[in-house]
Amino acid sequence: MLTRIKNNVLEGKRLTGAEALKLFESDDIFLLGSLASYVSEKKNGKKAYFIRNRHINPTNICVNRCRFCAFSRSEGQEGAFELTIKEILHKLKPFFAGRGRRISEVHIVGGLHPKWPFEYYLEMLSSIKRHFPDLHLKAFTAVEVDYMSKISGLGLSRTLTALKSGGLDSMPGGGAEIFDPRIRNLLCPEKISGNRWLKVMETAHKAGLRTNATMLYGHIEKYEHRTDHLLRLRKLQDKTGGFQAFIPLAYHPKNTQIQGKYTSGIDDLKTIAVSRLLLDNFDHIKAYWIMLGEKISQLALKFGADDIDGTIVEEKITHSAGALTGEQLSAAQLVELIRKAGKIPVERDSFYKRVRDMA
Ligand code: V47
Ligand code: SF4
């Protein structure tokens, strides 16, 4: 079977779900790595991308309280926070004070706040755009956008158009978790369904917004659920072509209600490789260094990934759940990490256009 899969990959044939499952079940990670690397290099050559970005979480107050989420709080609970627009602007200001530390993208995601009106999100976007017109606003997961469509009463399409007019440039891929309804219901019973997540993304793509996609793995799911998740993403991508990157998110168990272990390095690399092989219609696979650690992210560049995300600066979601990494890396550190993997570091913008080669 593995030889047949290998031949299919080398002939550029699309893999089936059964073949992906076989790859997940295989211990031959060297074969997985070399096949995924072959596909990655066909798509992106020896390039590995990074971006100068900053994450901001406007609030951790969330009505969903997913069982795997250590970041969220209920209103009034110790540790709950909500940022004013002034505070958000204050977090961005230092990156525009001089030339050295400039960022090109801000990544904004947060909880589903029980009281904030839709107008607050619009004002957040337009204020940031007014103060920092060159900054790309990658904001709000499909879960948040669905919530906004409900609080605004506008429905999905008009909510997305309003967000776009307010300054939204693209959307991150969070909130996808695992689409399988039974597993999803155990992980996050209050969250929108997998089908709804896909519907929000389809509508966003139709509205002209590019987005990412993620998958939370390493908790209670089995390989078959990962395979199903990837196939559903591939199907939507066939239809819209609106996804830019796929990011497997390694489960972090601390302070959550889903007990478990950290993922193993082997599983992380396997998941990157199988994602690269199955998602033949995604241009980019991202190894998110915050969750994988610097060393596994570096190895992931040899297992099918072509992107390691960015400078990040402040990270609360994974760090609430026991992340072992720091919260920021400088562009120079990212360049070194990529170079030592034998790849060509390329600073990118939010649409994967080259800002500069660092070779
Ligand atoms: O939506 C929550 C996940 C996501 C845990 O699009 C957890 O470029 C692991 O989506 N262990 C947020 N994961 C992060 C995210 C992301 C990150 C970097 C880049 C992009 C992109 C997207 O983190 C959440 C949720 O799926 N998450 N809790 C946890 N305990
Ligand atoms: Fe809320 Fe997102 Fe955490 Fe779920 S994962 S509780 S939706 S912040």
Side-chain angles (χ1 to χ4, degrees), residues 51-54 103-107 135-136 138 350:
I51 189 163
R52 290 176 206 254
N53 64 352
R54 192 208 199 286
I103 51 169
S104 66
E105 175 188 280
V106 61
H107 173 136
L135 188 62
H136 179 106
K138 177 173 113 193
S350 306

Side-chain angles (χ1 to χ4, degrees), residues 68 138 172-175 177 212 216 247 250 252 286 288 291 309 321:
F68 59 79
K138 177 173 113 193
E177 324 313 355
N212 288 337
L216 183 65
I247 310 127
H252 283 60
K286 192 188 278 188
Y288 183 38
M291 289 193 186
D309 207 283

Side-chain angles (χ1 to χ4, degrees), residues 62 64-66 68-69 71-72 110-112 143 177 191:
C62 186
N64 269 2
R65 304 308 313 272
C66 301
F68 59 79
C69 177
F71 160 77
S72 66
L112 311 182
V143 175
E177 324 313 355
K191 190 167 253 169

Side-chain angles (χ1 to χ4, degrees), residues 28-40 269-270 273-274 276-277 299-305:
D28 193 349
I29 66 154
F30 297 117
L31 176 66
L32 290 190
S34 65
L35 288 180
S37 216
Y38 166 78
V39 172
S40 177
L269 294 175
K270 207 183 244 191
V274 179
R276 177 61 289 167
L277 291 169
L299 277 171
L301 296 176
K302 294 282 195 197
F303 276 75

Side-chain angles (χ1 to χ4, degrees), residues 73-84:
R73 294 287 183 277
S74 297
E75 219 181 357
Q77 193 184 344
E78 200 186 325
F81 69 84
E82 40 194 357
L83 299 183
T84 61

